[in-house]
Amino acid sequence: MKKPVIAARGLDLTFETRDGPVHALKGVDLEVCKGEFVSFIGPSGCGKTTFLRVVAALEHPTGGTISVNGMSPDEARRSRAYGYVFQHAGLYPWRTIAGNIRLPLEIMGYPRPEHDKRVQEVMKLVDLEGFGQKFPWQLSGGMQQRASIARALAFDADILLMDEPFGALDEIVRDHLNEQLLALWARTEKTIGFVTHSIPEAVYLSTKIVVMSPRPGRITDVIESTLPKERPLEIRDTPEFLAIAHRVREGLRAGHAYDE
Amino acid sequence: MRAVLPILTVVTAIVLLWYAAAIPMNAKWAREQAARNDVTLSLTELVADTWSQDRPRLPAPHQVVAELWKSTGEMALKGRAFSKRSLITHAWYTLSATLLGFVIGTTAGVLLAVGIVYNRAMDMAVMPWAIASQTIPILAIAPMIIVVLNSIGISGIIPKAIISAYLSFFPVVVGMVKGLRAPGRDQLDLLSTYSATGASTFWKLRLPASMPYFFTALKISIAAALVGTIVGELPTGAIRGLGARMLSGSYYGQTIQIWSALFAAAILAAALVAIIGLIERGTLKRMGMEP
């Protein structure tokens, strides 16, 4: 058995709010192995984003344990274990695309001669060659999001955490980016944690689907995908795909029934 | 070019109103003079007189323009641009104190804003004082600043610059606090996933994000700095500067001189704001952010 890259055991996170405590995560157990593509799916408030933020040390758990690459999330962050892609590309409007991708390199203190080489590499990876000197507002939403993925890839993190990166994009762009993301994943062999609330997106992309439900945020089902690694868009019409999608939907429904 | 027509319309309307207002304002003096000389004025004569008195209550626009030209362009042509009677000299004295005060005020404003954004104690403590400082009438505090500084041997441009800075730091504080806090949670979170230091967060995110706010603040601030300098020139019986010109004009009932100094100040303010506007456009354009 492979050593897990992300291991959570009995993870709790309670936010104290004026209306009393909110259990964002309760008793979450999960292992993610190297090279897996794990999707987190569930209705809003189920803790999927919170879990990703805990992995990224942007939130700190109130109970249980979590390790990333065998370290605490804080240590993992300092050792540049992961790149994080937010729902909104969040490119700096005053920097060119290349300048934005260079940002983590500047902050992490990569030697200057290396910057251009790395920027060129990752721009090629996300299919943005030739757009380095453009400013973000000159690019479409999909291209901006690709630039933000490139920014997360520019330093050598082997984990990519993505929080609904394509949530704000239209269906057609989304399909295209999903395909590209799979190709990128195959090429880079990174471990990917991907938050979404689209069932087809989760099933299409993942090797493992984590179904979550709210109040308290918890895992209701973990589905190991039986789909092959090679996935053309048409795979979404196969019975195998539909069966997995069905199981995800059942899982989501079960979570809701519990709630009402 | 489309802006020209509306602007011209407004200017024309103001000038017409001004000429109209000058008639009743100056008519009393004209009638009194006529009565003293035992002549009766026809309406045209009356109007003509109200527009050409030596010491009118309200000088007509052309009188102000003529005085402005006489004390600037004409003197410059005679090679006496920097004589004591030239408005250029006075404007320069005011301008130099304004620029010094603006630099002091802007620097202080930026430093205070950085303190407020990064230090909780300053966040709680500084803003109420900054606001309180602006509620004190500058006319009340300016003479005290000048007297106090004079008594410790500081005079000349510095006291005026300090009064000017006193007015000009405030918009910068308010604007920069807003600007430095402009980055959203996602942008700050992104930097914390890079384990960015406070210094790189400041230089790479907060400072560039604050630039549009900074320039807006600077435009208000430089106008305030000019007002501060002029106010600083009033109570001291200063003999130089636009404020001094206004004061001596009012001592001697030289309304035309007061108005021309006022206009010189307004032109100066407009020019300063326009220069900052140009720098703003250039900077933001280079940063890829059209204003």
Side-chain angles (χ1 to χ4, degrees), chain A residues 17-124:
Chain A
T17 70
R18 223 176 281 174
D19 305 325
V22 171
H23 300 285
L25 292 173
K26 189 141 180 78
V28 170
D29 295 307
L30 186 72
E31 285 196 351
V32 176
C33 295
K34 184 163 171 40
E36 275 192 300
F37 195 127
V38 182
S39 282
F40 298 85
I41 189 165
S44 43
C46 71
K48 52 194 193 302
T49 294
T50 308
F51 182 77
L52 218 59
R53 289 175 64 84
V54 169
V55 175
L58 292 171
E59 308 282 358
H60 291 88
T62 46
T65 59
I66 181 159
S67 71
V68 179
N69 282 347
M71 296 175 270
S72 79
D74 280 307
E75 290 164 343
R77 170 168 78 188
R78 279 193 289 277
S79 68
R80 300 166 195 167
Y82 64 86
Y84 202 105
V85 179
F86 292 86
Q87 179 168 6
H88 301 286
L91 301 172
Y92 291 1
W94 55 86
R95 281 174 173 251
T96 59
I97 297 303
N100 270 289
I101 297 173
R102 206 182 297 120
L103 179 72
L105 304 176
E106 289 174 11
I107 288 172
M108 295 173 176
Y110 277 81
R112 235 161 230 295
E114 233 180 276
H115 289 189
D116 283 340
K117 201 182 106 245
R118 281 176 178 270
V119 169
Q120 290 308 323
E121 271 171 25
V122 290
M123 290 219 303
K124 202 167 163 188

Side-chain angles (χ1 to χ4, degrees), chain B residues 156-181:
Chain B
I157 190 176
I158 304 279
K160 286 199 287 179
I162 285 174
I163 295 164
S164 154
Y166 184 90
L167 282 189
S168 67
F169 87 96
F170 185 66
V172 178
V173 173
V174 176
M176 279 306 275
V177 166
K178 182 105 179 127
L180 292 173
R181 286 190 174 146

Side-chain angles (χ1 to χ4, degrees), chain B residues 76-93:
Chain B
L77 288 180
K78 286 185 197 154
R80 296 175 53 215
F82 293 99
S83 92
K84 250 179 162 174
R85 299 178 57 82
S86 155
L87 212 49
I88 297 174
T89 321
H90 292 285
W92 167 246
Y93 280 119

Side-chain angles (χ1 to χ4, degrees), chain B residues 12-286:
Chain B
T12 313
I14 290 173
V15 169
L16 287 178
L17 259 176
W18 189 350
Y19 270 112
I23 300 169
M25 291 288 280
N26 304 330
K28 193 175 163 229
W29 170 259
R31 286 209 196 85
E32 280 173 8
Q33 284 302 101
R36 207 168 295 163
N37 298 337
D38 234 6
V39 285
T40 40
L41 293 169
S42 71
L43 188 63
T44 29
E45 282 169 330
L46 178 74
V47 169
D49 187 85
T50 57
W51 288 346
S52 58
Q53 290 168 8
D54 273 345
R55 294 178 180 188
R57 271 199 210 158
L58 179 64
H62 68 267
Q63 292 179 292
V64 177
V65 172
E67 168 71 16
L68 262 178
W69 171 249
K70 208 175 82 187
S71 53
T72 54
E74 199 178 302
M75 300 200 75
L77 288 180
K78 286 185 197 154
R80 296 175 53 215
F82 293 99
S83 92
K84 250 179 162 174
R85 299 178 57 82
S86 155
L87 212 49
I88 297 174
T89 321
H90 292 285
W92 167 246
Y93 280 119
T94 303
L95 178 66
S96 53
T98 300
L99 291 180
L100 181 61
F102 174 68
V103 169
I104 297 172
T106 303
T107 312
V110 170
L111 291 179
L112 279 175
V114 170
I116 287 171
V117 170
Y118 277 91
N119 183 299
R120 219 181 119 65
M122 278 185 79
D123 186 15
M124 312 275 273
V126 173
M127 209 40 125
W129 286 102
I131 293 168
S133 77
Q134 302 303 298
T135 62
I136 301 168
I138 187 70
L139 268 174
I141 209 164
M144 293 196 283
I145 292 175
I146 287 171
V147 168
V148 168
L149 288 180
N150 245 322
S151 72
I152 56 171
I154 299 171
S155 60
I157 190 176
I158 304 279
K160 286 199 287 179
I162 285 174
I163 295 164
S164 154
Y166 184 90
L167 282 189
S168 67
F169 87 96
F170 185 66
V172 178
V173 173
V174 176
M176 279 306 275
V177 166
K178 182 105 179 127
L180 292 173
R181 286 190 174 146
R185 195 177 79 153
D186 271 9
Q187 292 189 313
L188 291 166
D189 279 349
L190 177 72
L191 287 187
S192 70
T193 68
Y194 301 155
S195 305
T197 58
S200 33
T201 307
F202 179 77
W203 291 110
K204 299 207 184 286
L205 176 59
R206 289 192 188 272
L207 194 67
S210 73
M211 279 304 114
Y213 299 84
F214 180 60
F215 281 109
T216 307
L218 284 191
K219 284 185 194 166
I220 306 170
S221 157
I222 192 127
L226 183 67
V227 171
T229 307
I230 290 174
V231 169
E233 285 166 350
L234 287 177
T236 49
I239 39 169
R240 299 187 296 206
L242 293 175
R245 284 287 279 197
M246 290 175 203
L247 196 68
S248 72
S250 77
Y251 281 160
Y252 303 113
Q254 297 284 358
T255 43
I256 300 179
Q257 183 187 322
I258 300 177
W259 280 84
S260 65
L262 269 178
F263 269 78
I267 292 165
L268 198 57
L272 290 172
V273 172
I275 289 169
I276 290 180
L278 282 178
I279 299 172
E280 176 185 29
R281 279 185 65 173
T283 310
L284 294 189
K285 205 166 198 169
R286 208 152 7 99

